[in-house]
């Protein structure tokens, strides 16, 4: 069983300025946005449901990178001033 899936094609520069819109289309309307660079198709923004179904159909599983699981710790910034010369 196959269904027609709506697809948008935009340059990376265009999507950079409207990323929220591309994510909304994928998330709520099941629309795919194909990203292009110099007119070459290089990546795709798809909804999570579609992504998970694709992994399942391919027999692959998702492994979350431990670095992505938690936000980066805040760093303490220390500013040291040079001693004043007399």
């Amino acid at each position: 069983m196959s269904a027609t899936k709506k697809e948008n094609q935009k340059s990376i520069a265009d999507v950079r300025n409207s990323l929220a819109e591309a994510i909304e289309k994928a998330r709520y309307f099941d629309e795919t946005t194909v990203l292009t660079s110099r007119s070459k198709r290089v990546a795709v923004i798809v909804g999570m449901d579609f992504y998970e179904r694709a992994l399942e159909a391919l027999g692959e599983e998702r492994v979350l990178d431990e670095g992505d699981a938690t936000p980066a710790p805040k760093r303490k910034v220390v500013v040291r001033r040079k001693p004043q010369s007399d």
Side-chain angles (χ1 to χ4, degrees):
M1 175 172 126
S2 69
T4 304
K5 189 164 184 65
K6 186 168 182 183
E7 181 179 285
N8 302 297
Q9 185 166 305
K10 291 188 174 189
S11 70
I12 292 172
D14 288 342
V15 172
R16 184 180 300 128
N17 296 326
S18 61
L19 182 59
E21 179 184 343
I23 292 170
E24 181 179 325
K25 285 180 179 181
R27 185 176 183 187
Y28 297 112
F29 303 107
D30 198 30
E31 292 183 22
T32 300
T33 300
V34 178
L35 305 179
T36 61
S37 177
R38 298 184 179 147
S39 300
K40 182 178 177 185
R41 296 159 63 100
V42 295
V44 181
I45 298 175
V46 297
M48 198 64 185
D49 291 340
F50 181 84
Y51 173 69
E52 289 175 342
R53 288 192 320 267
L55 285 178
E56 186 177 323
L58 294 170
E60 296 182 12
E61 63 181 59
R62 186 173 52 155
V63 178
L64 183 64
D65 184 0
E66 289 297 323
D68 293 341
T70 56
K74 292 183 180 179
R75 296 183 203 168
K76 183 177 180 181
V77 177
V78 177
V79 178
R80 292 193 175 114
R81 296 185 178 160
K82 292 181 180 179
Q84 292 180 347
S85 301
D86 291 324

